[in-house]
Amino acid sequence: MSLGMQPAVQYQGQQEWEPVSAVVEALALAVGHSDHAAWVAQVKDLQRQDHIAKDQWHAYVDVHGQGTRDPSKHTVEFLQGFLNFFHSGGRLQPADDAAELAHYIKMGQKKSQNWKNVWQQYCTAFSPTGKHDPATYDEQFLTKFLDYMAQLATMSMMGVAQMPASGLPASGLQPMLANGSEPSLKRARESSSMASSGDPVKDSLINRVKSFQRQGDQNKQLWWMYCDNFLGGVRDPSRHDSSKLQEFVDAHGVPEAQPRDRMPGGSLQATSLPAAVPGLDPVKDKLVNAVKSYQREGEMHRELWWNFCDTQFGGVRDPSRHDVNSLRQFLAANGVPENFGEPYVPGLDPVKDHFVNRVKQYQKGGEQNREIWATFCGHKRDPARHDTSTLQQFCEAYGVP
């Protein structure tokens, strides 16, 4: 195998070569020329002790040994040749990362037809040239492809990237968040607009992508991953041009849009309402406050609400513009209590009072206990700011008396 490297051998002179060569030859006599295992051990030990030697071994076998890096696969003469070469000061120019990545992608195409198909689709969709030869691309393009493949594989192994009732990622799999800075409120309002783009073709593609997301969590994750990797993290289909939407639709076999009058399962599609006037409906005020407080917990929580609105409620993200049933649907789906975010008043909830006191007493037990609680709770150190289930979970996990 060749990665396009040209040997750039530099010798330090005949006087230095002869003593080093003599040492290698003497060692050969000592261990026996036929003692292949001893020479293999030398090369392995040298790589473990010297990262430069390891890089040079890789470069040496790429040029002279068909890329086979396992020393045991080479003859004694080959191993001796490398040791002579290295100890005498000979050096090869290491391969650049792009060339090595290109090699691995080529090998993947030879070994797997599925890998080859995905690579070709990836090039067609995202390369300005559309060429399929990995050697024609830089390191950044190749790395993004490998990352794309890794995310697809992760989703495939997980089945569906499900979110448990607590709203936290299942099995440690983090949801893919938008890259870059947080969208401003103005941009959020703009992305929630339901006005026609003026282009019937684009409108059709927008509806197809949104309908595709409504069909399940796995579909939403596919769209999110596509946006995060190739569209700057912008997940609102209406903010992308038709060509990008068409690429996604073609790559993932997105069907024609489902009717918008009903949501999956047959329930009626929610419609937005004028912004509510606080104080007129105490129940709704409580739910609106819970949703807003939930979003303030962090970017992941905001993303969950925004995606819920974009895929099921026409992109309207103001909680006060949704009815009570819609707000309850979101809170229940993410395991958020309806009183989430309300000020804690001791004496109103004896069960919560009990757990708050237990956690506080636990922290008084020493610095180590305080650190354990701090690690568990994150930036909200006050136990009263957590719901009862979270406090109970902590007490049970750490044996809080």
Side-chain angles (χ1 to χ4, degrees):
M1 176 193 69
S2 174
L3 298 181
M5 299 177 301
Q6 297 297 325
V9 183
Q10 299 174 354
Y11 297 103
Q12 297 181 348
Q14 186 67 21
Q15 291 181 347
E16 294 180 5
W17 167 276
E18 291 177 353
V20 173
S21 180
V23 170
V24 174
E25 291 176 1
L27 184 58
L29 293 175
V31 300
H33 185 72
S34 63
D35 192 351
H36 182 255
W39 288 99
V40 169
Q42 280 191 72
V43 173
K44 289 184 175 181
D45 288 342
L46 182 62
Q47 292 184 75
R48 282 192 288 267
Q49 298 167 7
D50 186 345
H51 70 90
I52 296 178
K54 183 176 182 179
D55 291 341
Q56 285 300 303
W57 169 252
H58 292 173
Y60 190 86
V61 297
D62 286 344
V63 174
H64 303 295
Q66 298 182 333
T68 303
R69 295 181 176 180
D70 183 356
S72 66
K73 303 297 183 182
H74 294 284
T75 65
V76 169
E77 290 77 13
F78 186 90
L79 301 175
Q80 284 181 322
F82 167 72
L83 292 172
N84 277 335
F85 170 80
F86 181 77
H87 289 303
S88 65
R91 296 293 181 267
L92 291 171
Q93 183 68 34
D96 60 26
D97 290 339
E100 190 164 2
L101 289 172
H103 164 69
Y104 287 130
I105 292 175
K106 286 183 178 179
M107 290 297 294
Q109 293 184 79
K110 292 179 181 179
K111 301 294 185 179
S112 169
Q113 185 62 42
N114 289 329
W115 177 281
K116 183 176 182 178
N117 292 340
V118 174
W119 166 250
Q120 292 180 353
Q121 292 174 8
Y122 184 90
C123 293
T124 301
F126 306 115
S127 166
T129 64
K131 294 182 178 179
H132 295 163
D133 182 1
T136 63
Y137 295 102
D138 60 17
E139 179 184 351
Q140 182 180 14
F141 186 89
L142 299 175
T143 300
K144 291 190 73 172
F145 168 72
L146 293 178
D147 186 59
Y148 182 72
M149 288 292 294
Q151 293 184 52
L152 286 176
T154 299
M155 290 175 58
S156 177
M157 288 187 292
M158 295 296 295
V160 177
Q162 296 178 349
M163 302 293 290
S166 64
L168 297 176
S171 305
L173 184 63
Q174 296 294 329
M176 289 172 289
L177 302 178
N179 295 327
S181 60
E182 178 182 333
S184 67
L185 290 176
K186 179 179 178 181
R187 290 177 62 187
R189 293 189 193 103
E190 290 172 350
S191 67
S192 69
S193 173
M194 290 299 293
S196 170
S197 67
D199 180 351
V201 174
K202 180 176 179 178
D203 290 344
S204 174
L205 292 170
I206 290 171
N207 288 334
R208 287 175 70 178
V209 172
K210 289 187 174 182
S211 176
F212 179 73
Q213 293 182 76
R214 287 194 292 270
Q215 293 171 19
D217 286 341
Q218 186 174 15
N219 292 0
K220 282 185 287 193
Q221 288 286 349
L222 282 172
W223 171 247
W224 288 5
M225 181 176 64
Y226 183 87
C227 295
D228 291 346
N229 282 288
F230 310 114
L231 301 177
V234 179
R235 297 177 177 174
D236 182 359
S238 65
R239 294 177 60 191
H240 301 293
D241 57 41
S242 298
S243 62
K244 296 299 182 184
L245 298 174
Q246 189 68 57
E247 287 172 359
F248 176 80
V249 166
D250 292 342
H252 296 282
V254 177
E256 292 295 333
Q258 294 180 348
R260 290 294 305 275
D261 58 339
R262 291 188 176 271
M263 293 166 49
S267 60
L268 291 176
Q269 175 74 14
T271 57
S272 64
L273 305 172
V277 178
L280 296 182
D281 185 345
V283 174
K284 181 170 181 178
D285 291 345
K286 180 179 179 179
L287 299 175
V288 168
N289 179 67
V291 172
K292 290 183 175 180
S293 298
Y294 182 75
Q295 293 182 75
R296 286 194 289 268
E297 292 294 294
E299 185 177 359
M300 181 187 76
H301 301 78
R302 285 194 297 273
E303 289 280 353
L304 286 171
W305 169 249
W306 289 1
N307 182 67
F308 189 82
C309 296
D310 291 346
T311 58
Q312 301 194 40
F313 297 128
V316 178
R317 295 175 178 173
D318 180 358
S320 68
R321 295 181 61 190
H322 296 290
D323 59 32
V324 169
N325 290 335
S326 299
L327 296 172
R328 280 180 167 155
Q329 180 184 348
F330 171 77
L331 295 173
N334 291 278
V336 183
E338 293 188 1
N339 62 349
F340 187 81
E342 289 186 349
Y344 170 66
V345 180
L348 295 182
D349 185 345
V351 176
K352 181 171 182 176
D353 292 345
H354 168 74
F355 285 108
V356 168
N357 290 332
R358 284 175 64 180
V359 174
K360 286 184 176 180
Q361 289 298 320
Y362 177 78
Q363 293 183 78
K364 292 177 182 178
E367 183 63 27
Q368 183 177 5
N369 290 4
R370 286 192 292 273
E371 288 296 327
I372 291 174
W373 167 248
T375 302
F376 178 86
C377 68
H379 67 281
K380 294 193 302 182
R381 302 289 178 89
D382 183 359
R385 296 182 61 193
H386 296 275
D387 58 45
T388 303
S389 62
T390 300
L391 298 173
Q392 183 176 2
Q393 179 184 357
F394 175 77
C395 291
E396 293 175 351
Y398 294 94
V400 177

